[in-house]
Amino acid sequence: MRWGCHLPRASWGPGLGRALQPADERIPFLIHWSWPLKGQSPTGPPRAFIRHYGSSAGSGPPSERHGQLFRGIAAAEAIQRHRRNLAEWFSRLPREERQFGPSFALDTVHVDPVIRESTPDEHRPPAELALEHQPPSAGLPLLALSQLFDPDVCGRRVQTVVLYGTVGTGKSTLVRKMVLDWCYGRLPAFELLIPFSCEDLSSLGPAPASLCQLVAQRYTPLKEVLPLMAVARSRLLFVLHGLEHLNLDFRLAGTGLCSDPEQPVVPAAIIVNLLRKYMLPEASILVTTRPSAIGRIPSKYVGRYGEICGFSDTNLQKLYFQLRLNQPDCGHGAGGVGVTPAQRDHLVEMLSRNLEGHHQIAAACFLPSYCWLVCATLYFLHAPTSAGQTLTSIYTSFLRLNFSGEMLDSTDPSKLSLMAYAARTMGKLAYEGVSSRKTYFSEEDVRGCLEAGLKTEEEFQLLHVFRRDALRFFLAPCVEPGHQGTFVFTVPAMQEYLAALYIVLGLRKTTLQRVGKEVAELVGRVGEDVSLVLGIVAKLLPLRALPLLINLLKVVPRVFGRVVGKSREGVAQAMVLEMFREEDYYNDDVLDQMGASILGVEGPRRHPDEPPEDEVFELFPMFMGGLLSAHNRAILAQLGCPIKTLDALENAQAIKKKLGKLGRQVLPPSELLDHLFFHYEFQNQCFSAEVLGSLRQLNLAGVRMTPLKCTVVAAVLGSGRHALDEVNLASCQLDPAGLRTLRPVFLRARKLGLQLNSLGPEACRDLRDLLLHDQCQVTTLRLSNNPLTAAGVALLVEGLAGNTSLKHLSLLHTDLGDEGLQLLAAQLDRNQQLQELNVAYNGAGDAAALALAKAAWKHPSLELLHLYFNELSSEGRQALRDLGSTTEGGARVVVSLTEGTAVSEYWSVILGEVQRNLNSWDRTRVRRHLELLLRDLEDNRGATLNPWRKAQLLRVEGEVRALLEQLGGRGS
């Protein structure tokens, strides 16, 4: 994933709407309120509209009389009902959009893409097969939505407009927004708007129907105004969306003339006669289509062409991201915890910085669809994750939003889906890149994958359609220095997704597999008949070789099955090796890598002369696991890429076999999280329980535990049955919400390390609930270096009172002070199982320390109490020593490196804690304590005559001096 780069600091914050200045004066920003008149807003209160140039909101709301056409009360009410129905239908968002908040609506936060007027000459197909990745030519006129039907340069009235754009440029969103504009009264030029989906019309087949029947079936309120369509003239607007779904024939021999809207003909004939201006000649028509289908309408019937160019201006991309990411109620989970405004502003600022300094992501966000994918990925990484949502499901849903099972070419009899063709061609290119560890592809590489195996004219025609309509969706020209002239996948993760899809669909086949499959199928078809005939012949003639031949016919399919099984094992082996590459052991986890690729990395840029970093493809195995999940297989089936359940099971068995062998090794924290993320993407608890059954230690120390990572760990390990010997989450930036998410995992842990997490008193409430849980089996709890304070300890002692499993508790450096130690002293006897308590380095004085020591000595099970590095006077330390020497049994108190004139057996524990926390503790305070300990060692060495004790004291003095030298204090 090579989007990430080191970027210089820059300031671009939440004031985007005020600060952005377009590069071209022809692209002004319009931010205004549109208040429809009372009774004109069909769906509730008025909304705020934030728009870029091209908005149809430039015109004021219509008058209540709607001109002269629909003056009658019945007709006006019918139009109003039609507006309400359309608004309700087009305001419904797909499930993928609901993650942006319950109040999110496309009509409130919409950025119009750039629309460039073009000429018929630009639509001619190229003479030779070439990659069409050139940006729109500069200097050509730009169109606003309100200008689409303006007179042309010769002053002629424009009645038919064709808008075209490749997959992902925003055609569907533009149509949805235009219809909603009309519903809210912001298209006063048209009194009646009738949208048609060409995909819907194509599903009707050859069944005849009249235009009036089509309208009445889909828009019941318009039955009353159908007779007025003929006199509506230019005030009537037909919107024909997705013309590529219809096979239109404008020849008179193919489609006869028809001017009667009530005469039943095939739906394609109605569209042809509307475009010919033979039926309803004065009506206005807006057509959207993919580039390959532009030629289906003769240019003489088109008044204006407009190319939807996406977000060719970076300012549009920034505005889109600000509107999407700054929704006030986006990303809130069921518990009301979500992304704060400050966090949203930070995401927007980081993303803008990356857009300005890293041009490859700006090239990708040229397509509005990829802007959506970036926002969805950021919400997945930073906001509370809904149940069952995975990274693979986001990418699969993204493809469903853009392809939705569309055919590559509606005129081709094979009816091949566009996504299936992309998986076969782009998947092959992606997998070859992953296997050879490269992300930059030459034109020869792309040609080789696109043209592989093409033999017939029909196959070349399909390639031509794919190249014009969808190639730009998957590949983008590389703009990075040193790689000009090459191509990269539009977003880095898409290469790994398509490579995984290529594998799980079984499209990667060796020559032996391809030949073997054909032979096996042939033998399987004729084997039974041949075996029957040979069996009869064997009874009549004494030929001993015939039984052998019969058995061979039965063996051939089995042999091929074993060849396929070996291939699956080889794929599983490659996937597991990619997951556990030692070269990737000490890089960031895959989720942090993905976030850095989108938001960039703080710090200076990498010097151009430095050797490039090795390509990392750690998402490839994650996507492979995710694509095998039932949810994603169901979506892929809708896209025309079915994965058979039996194939998924066999692939899962092969992966399980390899993971069982390599997954038992001890992994670094970041790689362990990647392993857990693979299981999270797979969404199969039985599979994960078997593979992770041998996991006994969960060491994620140093991994930044975001809400998503906490969800991943809890989802994968929370339902397991075996206990975890140790869960180490030290220095993971955990918060109380993370503790609540991870509670199912904590309940399985025996040793729980939560040190260095900045947990405050509010986190102690969750820790108290954990200790009081009837399934809690934690025996060791380390909370050192967290600002718990006395308020937090007051909650912890409540948990200690009702807990029966905890034996070792570390509260080292938790800001308890005298009040905290006094609370512990007063409540310690309520717990009868605790064996060790560490309250060192808490700023406690003599009285509090002595009170806790007396309570510890009276405790029936407490064996060890750590009190070193507290603010104890020499008299206080002596009092603690005297108390220990006069009390038989009870807990041992550790206050110094010495015990009498001998070295304490816990001296290495004390110095080890200092060494581990040297960079996080107050250096001045630690230096002062070490100097006191050093003086104590020197005094005891002078007071003893035992040479063995002198040697031990001298050795410990050397260790203390070494620490003082690191701190800049006296070392000698």
Side-chain angles (χ1 to χ4, degrees):
M1 297 185 296
R2 294 301 291 271
W3 263 4
C5 63
H6 293 277
L7 299 178
R9 295 185 177 273
S11 65
W12 184 85
L16 174 64
R18 298 186 303 273
L20 286 179
Q21 296 296 330
D24 193 326
E25 291 184 357
R26 293 172 300 173
I27 311 177
F29 285 102
L30 302 179
I31 302 178
H32 67 274
W33 287 84
S34 180
W35 294 92
L37 296 177
K38 182 177 180 181
Q40 298 297 318
S41 178
T43 57
R47 300 177 181 266
F49 286 82
I50 304 176
R51 327 270 282 153
H52 179 257
Y53 95 99
S55 168
S56 55
S59 304
S63 65
E64 293 199 27
R65 297 177 62 88
H66 299 287
Q68 300 296 319
L69 182 60
F70 301 110
R71 179 181 298 180
I73 296 177
E77 290 180 352
I79 296 298
Q80 278 296 88
R81 290 198 303 272
H82 178 55
R83 287 178 188 263
R84 284 194 294 268
N85 293 345
L86 277 184
E88 182 180 358
W89 175 257
F90 279 87
S91 296
R92 292 177 181 177
L93 297 177
R95 181 176 56 84
E96 290 81 2
E97 293 282 18
R98 297 172 193 164
Q99 62 182 310
F100 294 103
S103 68
F104 177 81
L106 290 179
D107 61 315
T108 60
V109 284
H110 174 76
V111 180
D112 290 332
V114 172
I115 302 176
R116 178 184 63 92
E117 187 169 2
S118 61
T119 62
D121 294 337
E122 299 180 41
H123 310 145
R124 295 173 182 171
E128 61 179 9
L129 191 65
L131 291 171
E132 297 176 355
H133 282 276
Q134 298 301 323
S137 303
L140 293 175
L142 301 179
L143 292 172
L145 285 180
S146 58
Q147 299 171 336
L148 292 179
F149 290 93
D150 287 355
D152 61 13
V153 292
C154 298
R156 293 179 297 229
R157 185 161 64 93
V158 173
Q159 292 180 280
T160 302
V161 176
V162 174
L163 296 181
Y164 65 94
T166 59
V167 175
T169 50
K171 300 183 294 295
S172 299
T173 304
L174 197 65
V175 168
R176 180 192 298 265
K177 187 63 187 66
M178 192 170 186
V179 172
L180 289 175
D181 277 348
W182 180 79
C183 293
Y184 291 126
R186 290 187 295 273
L187 278 178
F190 304 105
E191 295 190 31
L192 179 59
L193 183 145
I194 302 177
F196 279 116
S197 166
C198 295
E199 184 179 9
D200 173 37
L201 296 179
S202 68
S203 66
L204 300 177
S210 69
L211 175 61
C212 291
Q213 288 174 335
L214 292 179
V215 174
Q217 288 172 0
R218 283 152 183 79
Y219 308 110
T220 306
L222 295 184
K223 288 182 179 180
E224 302 178 19
V225 297
L226 287 177
L228 298 177
M229 282 199 307
V231 297
R233 299 188 176 183
S234 62
R235 309 282 285 178
L236 170 63
L237 173 63
F238 287 101
V239 177
L240 307 177
H241 177 52
L243 189 75
E244 66 273 3
H245 293 283
L246 289 175
N247 188 11
L248 303 181
D249 188 354
F250 278 80
R251 298 173 303 156
L252 289 177
T255 305
L257 297 175
C258 177
S259 62
D260 185 3
E262 298 184 0
Q263 179 179 345
V265 292
V266 296
I270 295 176
I271 301 302
V272 168
N273 281 287
L274 282 174
L275 292 170
R276 283 172 173 166
K277 294 302 176 186
Y278 200 78
M279 181 184 294
L280 301 180
E282 298 295 322
S284 301
I285 302 175
L286 175 67
V287 179
T288 66
T289 183
R290 299 201 304 246
S292 63
I294 296 177
R296 298 183 189 180
I297 306 177
S299 60
K300 65 181 180 179
Y301 298 127
V302 180
R304 173 173 286 130
Y305 289 97
E307 180 183 6
I308 303 176
C309 299
F311 294 156
S312 56
D313 183 359
T314 308
N315 286 333
L316 294 180
Q317 300 171 9
K318 293 179 182 179
L319 182 60
Y320 180 95
F321 289 131
Q322 188 196 35
L323 296 179
R324 283 270 179 168
L325 296 174
N326 275 328
Q327 287 294 292
D329 54 358
C330 291
H332 282 268
V337 179
V339 182
T340 65
Q343 290 172 326
R344 289 197 296 264
D345 291 343
H346 179 68
L347 289 179
V348 172
E349 181 181 357
M350 290 287 290
L351 183 55
S352 171
R353 234 185 290 168
N354 210 16
L355 285 170
E356 293 171 353
H358 189 33
H359 301 293
Q360 196 60 55
I361 185 176
C365 293
F366 166 83
L367 295 174
S369 292
Y370 277 98
C371 292
W372 181 94
L373 180 61
V374 167
C375 290
T377 305
L378 285 178
Y379 269 100
F380 175 72
L381 293 175
H382 295 278
T385 305
S386 58
Q389 187 182 40
T390 65
L391 184 64
T392 311
S393 69
I394 288 177
Y395 273 73
T396 309
S397 299
F398 167 68
L399 294 176
R400 178 174 63 178
L401 286 174
N402 285 277
F403 295 99
S404 62
E406 293 183 15
M407 291 178 293
L408 178 59
D409 185 1
S410 61
T411 63
D412 185 74
S414 67
K415 305 302 180 184
L416 181 65
S417 79
L418 181 53
M419 191 61 228
Y421 192 91
R424 191 177 70 198
T425 54
M426 293 293 95
K428 177 179 174 61
L429 180 67
Y431 180 74
E432 289 181 357
V434 170
S435 56
S436 59
R437 310 200 69 77
K438 69 176 184 178
T439 57
Y440 305 100
F441 302 93
S442 65
E443 188 167 338
E444 289 73 21
D445 296 332
V446 179
R447 283 178 179 276
C449 290
L450 289 175
E451 299 178 2
L454 295 186
K455 299 177 182 178
T456 65
E457 182 64 27
E458 290 77 11
E459 291 174 336
F460 275 99
Q461 177 61 29
L462 289 178
L463 173 59
H464 169 73
V465 173
F466 178 78
R467 181 173 51 86
R468 295 197 69 187
D469 292 348
L471 186 59
R472 178 63 181 86
F473 181 84
F474 294 102
L475 291 180
C478 183
V479 297
E480 295 180 6
H483 295 282
Q484 282 82 2
T486 62
F487 299 89
V488 295
F489 279 85
T490 313
V491 295
M494 184 58 75
Q495 177 181 351
E496 298 174 74
Y497 179 91
L498 290 173
L501 182 62
Y502 183 72
I503 295 299
V504 298
L505 289 176
L507 299 175
R508 177 184 175 271
K509 292 183 175 66
T510 62
T511 303
L512 176 62
Q513 286 179 277
R514 287 193 294 270
V515 175
K517 182 180 180 180
E518 295 174 1
V519 173
E521 290 177 350
L522 177 62
V523 172
R525 284 194 298 268
V526 303
E528 293 184 3
D529 296 335
V530 173
S531 298
L532 180 63
V533 173
L534 292 179
I536 296 173
V537 173
K539 291 180 180 179
L540 299 176
L541 298 175
L543 299 176
R544 298 179 179 178
L546 289 179
L548 178 62
L549 183 58
I550 294 173
N551 292 330
L552 284 176
L553 290 174
K554 296 179 180 178
V555 165
V556 170
R558 299 176 189 170
V559 172
F560 175 72
R562 292 193 175 183
V563 170
V564 173
K566 289 293 183 183
S567 173
R568 287 196 179 97
E569 290 187 7
V571 170
Q573 176 79 6
M575 188 211 76
V576 174
L577 289 176
E578 183 66 41
M579 189 185 301
F580 297 112
R581 283 183 76 225
E582 292 187 8
E583 295 87 342
D584 303 333
Y585 267 16
Y586 299 101
N587 58 8
D588 292 334
D589 62 79
V590 68
L591 295 174
D592 280 351
Q593 290 179 38
M594 194 159 200
S597 73
I598 296 175
L599 299 175
V601 180
E602 296 281 0
R605 296 175 185 267
R606 182 174 59 85
H607 194 276
D609 296 335
E610 293 181 13
E613 299 176 359
D614 188 20
E615 297 292 349
V616 178
F617 296 99
E618 292 184 279
L619 276 176
F620 169 63
M622 314 300 169
F623 283 137
M624 274 195 65
L627 289 171
L628 293 176
S629 69
H631 173 71
N632 286 301
R633 284 191 285 117
I635 298 179
L636 288 171
Q638 298 172 16
L639 294 174
C641 301
I643 302 174
K644 297 180 180 179
T645 303
L646 182 60
D647 290 340
L649 290 175
E650 291 177 350
N651 278 316
Q653 289 295 330
I655 293 172
K656 184 195 299 181
K657 183 178 179 181
K658 298 301 178 182
L659 276 179
K661 293 180 180 179
L662 295 177
R664 294 190 184 97
Q665 56 187 317
V666 179
L667 299 173
S670 61
E671 292 299 306
L672 177 57
L673 182 66
D674 290 347
H675 187 194
L676 297 178
F677 185 60
F678 166 80
H679 289 276
Y680 178 76
E681 290 291 312
F682 198 10
Q683 294 282 298
N684 188 323
Q685 291 186 353
C686 295
F687 176 92
S688 300
E690 291 184 36
V691 174
L692 298 173
S694 60
L695 183 67
R696 289 294 182 270
Q697 290 188 336
L698 179 65
N699 180 17
L700 298 177
V703 174
R704 185 174 59 92
M705 293 300 291
T706 62
L708 171 62
K709 295 177 188 177
C710 293
T711 301
V712 168
V713 175
V716 175
L717 296 177
S719 59
R721 296 181 179 179
H722 68 277
L724 297 171
D725 294 338
E726 183 176 4
V727 174
N728 185 2
L729 294 173
S731 192
C732 289
Q733 302 181 33
L734 277 172
D735 57 12
L739 295 181
R740 288 190 290 273
T741 303
L742 291 169
R743 183 182 296 177
V745 181
F746 294 164
L747 291 174
R748 295 176 51 196
R750 290 198 173 98
K751 294 182 180 179
L752 179 57
L754 298 174
Q755 57 270 37
L756 286 165
N757 275 297
S758 300
L759 297 174
E762 63 278 3
C764 293
R765 193 178 307 277
D766 299 291
L767 294 173
R768 176 199 61 186
D769 295 341
L770 170 67
L771 293 173
L772 292 176
H773 199 284
D774 56 358
Q775 297 180 10
C776 178
Q777 50 186 320
V778 176
T779 60
T780 301
L781 179 59
R782 294 188 290 270
L783 297 173
S784 55
N785 297 296
N786 287 296
L788 303 180
T789 70
V793 169
L795 295 169
L796 278 180
V797 293
E798 295 178 18
L800 287 174
N803 180 270
T804 59
S805 63
L806 192 64
K807 292 180 172 58
H808 306 274
L809 175 62
S810 175
L811 299 174
L812 169 73
H813 192 217
T814 51
D815 297 340
L816 302 186
D818 288 340
E819 183 182 357
L821 265 64
Q822 293 284 7
L823 278 170
L824 285 171
Q827 303 289 331
L828 193 60
D829 59 343
R830 297 177 63 188
N831 179 285
Q832 301 297 312
Q833 284 78 33
L834 199 62
Q835 296 177 2
E836 181 182 6
L837 177 62
N838 189 341
V839 289
Y841 197 18
N842 270 295
D846 295 346
L850 193 59
L852 182 58
K854 290 179 179 179
W857 283 324
K858 296 176 183 178
H859 197 277
S861 62
L862 197 64
E863 299 174 356
L864 191 60
L865 176 65
H866 299 262
L867 283 170
Y868 49 87
F869 276 30
N870 278 295
E871 302 302 318
L872 303 176
S873 64
S874 58
E875 293 79 8
R877 287 195 298 272
Q878 187 60 45
L880 290 172
R881 293 194 188 100
D882 294 341
L883 186 60
S885 64
T886 58
T887 305
E888 295 182 1
R892 297 184 62 180
V893 181
V894 181
V895 295
S896 178
L897 296 174
T898 60
E899 293 180 0
T901 58
V903 173
S904 171
E905 61 180 290
Y906 300 103
W907 71 268
S908 59
V909 175
I910 298 174
L911 296 185
E913 290 285 0
V914 175
Q915 184 67 56
R916 278 192 296 271
N917 298 285
L918 208 58
N919 294 324
S920 60
W921 285 358
D922 183 355
R923 300 174 74 87
T924 303
R925 189 174 172 186
V926 172
R927 187 186 306 115
R928 177 167 56 83
H929 282 292
L930 286 177
E931 289 173 350
L932 289 174
L933 292 178
L934 181 60
R935 190 178 307 118
D936 192 30
L937 288 169
E938 293 171 344
D939 293 342
N940 281 280
R941 182 163 53 87
T944 182
L945 298 177
N946 188 322
W948 175 246
R949 288 186 177 179
K950 284 181 177 289
Q952 286 183 315
L953 290 166
L954 195 60
R955 176 193 172 191
V956 177
E957 286 180 33
E959 298 287 345
V960 175
R961 287 194 176 95
L963 289 173
L964 283 170
E965 286 180 355
Q966 294 183 47
L967 291 169
R970 71 183 186 96
S972 59

